[in-house]
Each structure stands twice: as C-alpha cells, then as structure tokens.
Amino acid sequence: MQAPATNTPTAPRWLDNIGDWLFRNIVAVAGWFVLITLVLAALSMYWGGREAFSEFGWGFLVSTEWDPVRERYGALVAIYGTLVTTTIAMIIAVPVSFGIALFLTEVAPAWIRQPLGSAIELLAGIPSIIYGMWGLFVLAPLLGNYVYPWIDEHIGPWPILGALFRGPPLGIGMLTAGIVLAIMIIPFISSVMREVFLTVPTRLKESAYALGSTTTEVVWDIVLPYTRSAVIGGIFLGMGRALGETMAVTFVLGNAHRISVSLLEPGNSIAASVANEFAEATTPMYQSALLALGFLLFAVTFIVLSIAKLMLMQLKKREGN
C-alpha cells in the first residue's frame, strides 16, 4: 500500500533571496573589515613617522646612527637585526618542524601521535614573554657558559665562516635571539605541516609501499610533491611570526644599536627598539622615528609575505601545467 504524500512547508522564494543577500553582505563586510584595518594600520604608522621620513629621507633606511640626544636616527641596525634573527630562526625551525611533522604522520606509533601532536600545539599558546624570560634566565647562561666559549674557540678561527661565531660569550645576542625565535615558531610550522601531510590520500602512499618504496621515497616522491604549496605557505606563516616578535627578542637580543658580523654579539631589532624606547620617547622626533620603524616592520613583513604568495602562485601554475 502506497504511503500518502506529505506536503512539507517551504519558505517563500523572496525570503530565501533576502537571506542569501544578507549572508553575502555580512561575509563581505567581514572580508573588507580585515583589508580596511590593514590599510588603516599601515597609514597610521606612516603618518606617525612622516616627520622622521621628511627629516632624514632615504638616509633613515641606510643610517646606523641612533642618538636621541642629538635627534639623529637611522633604521639600518634595527632592520639588520630583524632580518638576521629571523633568518637564524628559519634555518633552525624549518628542518626541525619538517622532522616533527613527518615523525607524527609517517613514523610514530599510533598511540603516541595524538598526545605528542597536542603537546606541540600547546606550545604555540605559551605567551612570548615566557619564552623571553626562559631565554634570559635559562638559555642565555647555558649558552654563555658552555656553548659559546666552545664555538668561539673551535669555529671562530675558521676563515670566512669563523667571523660569524667569533666574539665574547655573553650569552645574549643575535644567535640566542634566533634560537628563541626558532623554538617559538616550531609549533606553528610543524602543526601546519602535520595537518597538510595528513591530507595526502592513503591510497597513494599504500600504492607506493606496495611497489617496494621505502618511507624516505614515499616522503620525497609522494608526500612532498602533493603538499609542496601548503608546506611553503606554512613556512612563510612562521616567518611572519618571527619578523614581528617583540618581547621574547627584547629579553635576549642585547638591544645594542650597532651592526656586528658576529652572531654572538648583541644587536637590535625593529620590534625590540619600539618596545624598549617608546615609553622614553619624550620628543616629537623621537616618537616619529619609532613610528617610522613600525611602518618599516609592516613593510618588511608585507614584502616577505607577498614574495611567498608569488612563489605559491608560480608553484600552482607549474603544477597546473
């Protein structure tokens, strides 16, 4: 016996159209809000630093002078310190994060994957000031007393490369800041890589294993090509975090306004300069110079992330071809 048909009430067509229109406009407002906020933040930094840009011109970018007494300011030391510490952090963090992600997705036993992955993700929630205090009171004395003297004695005499590791073992400096930054961004990069590696279809990996491939071959020939674009995006996401980090770097960088080839020497960064000196900026020019540094940090981060976006677009284009 056929069941009687039931009439389900449907909303009027005009009501559906209104709901769709509201949804589109609400999400559009959310998207434009981010873009407008970004532009306004950049303009506010530039407007605040216009006096310094007008006074020093392009010399502000290439000068190493920073003298609040004579009101002479230059950003080169801070830019140099920011780029060097970020480079050190990326050199350390990328291979370590890659190893962590591969271990959790391809090598580790099933019973340890979830607890270890959760522990790594929890590290991302630790405030940066805690990393800075740990770096100052634990890591810096350890490096200064045991590691840096050995590096200075054994690597310092090397030609060319030795100049990077020659200097007084103070414990604080650009190398220490880079190590702390690396520890901070490893959870971000490794978490992104782990989630991306999990998206690789199991059938692809099982097919490779069935053909006799080793784990190394599966990683290099299957996992990495499949996730290359997303992995690069995660790396540059961590780089953006390292470029703008403030408190952790402020504790261990040494805050010295000078450029030194040695990574063991103290230095300075844009974020550390602003954090340390903004409360002491009592003159309009001093404040303008610090705001100009803030705008330069915004510009450097924007340029780096834009390069990352262009690289991803090129990769996708080649993959499409």
Side-chain angles (χ1 to χ4, degrees):
M1 183 175 181
Q2 188 175 3
T6 57
N7 295 325
T8 56
T10 58
R13 186 66 179 173
W14 63 269
L15 190 59
D16 289 339
N17 292 337
I18 291 177
D20 187 56
W21 180 85
L22 285 174
F23 176 78
R24 285 201 313 269
N25 284 275
I26 288 173
V27 295
V29 167
W32 280 104
F33 174 78
V34 174
L35 182 60
I36 292 172
T37 303
L38 190 68
V39 173
L40 290 178
L43 290 177
S44 64
M45 291 292 100
Y46 178 79
W47 184 256
R50 70 190 188 282
E51 188 175 348
F53 288 131
S54 176
E55 175 70 20
F56 306 112
W58 288 103
F60 183 74
L61 299 177
V62 298
S63 174
T64 60
E65 188 175 13
W66 190 270
D67 189 352
V69 177
R70 295 192 298 129
E71 298 261 291
R72 305 296 301 174
Y73 303 101
L76 186 59
V77 173
I79 295 174
Y80 173 79
T82 300
L83 296 178
V84 169
T85 53
T86 301
T87 301
I88 295 171
M90 298 307 296
I91 291 173
I92 298 172
V94 171
V96 173
S97 300
F98 184 72
I100 291 172
L102 285 179
F103 176 75
L104 292 177
T105 56
E106 305 295 332
V107 179
W111 61 270
I112 201 177
R113 292 185 181 184
Q114 189 61 39
L116 187 57
S118 300
I120 293 172
E121 291 174 355
L122 287 175
L123 291 175
I126 298 178
S128 61
I129 193 171
I130 302 299
Y131 282 106
M133 294 174 65
W134 171 81
L136 179 63
F137 295 115
V138 178
L139 183 63
L142 179 65
L143 295 176
N145 293 330
Y146 302 103
V147 179
Y148 289 169
W150 185 92
I151 290 177
D152 180 56
E153 181 180 355
H154 292 84
I155 303 180
W158 290 5
I160 304 176
L161 185 63
L164 297 175
F165 302 99
R166 188 183 306 134
L170 301 176
I172 59 174
M174 288 188 290
L175 183 56
T176 305
I179 294 173
V180 172
L181 277 178
I183 295 172
M184 290 185 63
I185 64 177
I186 281 173
F188 290 92
I189 302 177
S190 60
S191 295
V192 172
M193 288 186 176
R194 172 174 172 257
E195 295 300 323
V196 168
F197 291 162
L198 290 174
T199 64
V200 179
T202 306
R203 288 176 297 177
L204 292 179
K205 295 188 289 186
E206 289 178 348
S207 300
Y209 284 124
L211 292 174
S213 299
T214 63
T215 302
T216 304
E217 291 172 336
V218 170
V219 168
W220 288 106
D221 297 333
I222 303 296
V223 176
L224 278 182
Y226 191 88
T227 60
R228 185 185 297 114
S229 299
V231 167
I232 293 176
I235 291 172
F236 278 94
L237 179 66
M239 180 182 291
R241 171 70 190 273
L243 283 169
E245 181 52 48
T246 305
M247 295 310 300
V249 175
T250 302
F251 273 90
V252 297
L253 187 53
N255 307 310
H257 278 289
R258 65 174 181 270
I259 291 180
S260 175
V261 176
S262 174
L263 301 180
L264 307 185
E265 294 277 358
N268 216 333
S269 71
I270 296 175
S273 297
V274 175
N276 277 325
E277 303 184 35
F278 204 85
E280 303 172 1
T282 56
T283 63
M285 182 59 71
Y286 199 174
Q287 293 178 355
S288 180
L290 293 174
L291 289 170
L293 284 180
F295 176 77
L296 291 177
L297 178 59
F298 181 93
V300 169
T301 306
F302 180 80
I303 291 171
V304 169
L305 297 183
S306 297
I307 294 173
K309 184 63 177 177
L310 291 174
M311 290 178 60
L312 293 176
M313 291 172 61
Q314 291 297 321
L315 283 174
K316 290 180 179 179
K317 184 183 296 185
R318 287 203 297 267
E319 290 170 359
N321 292 335

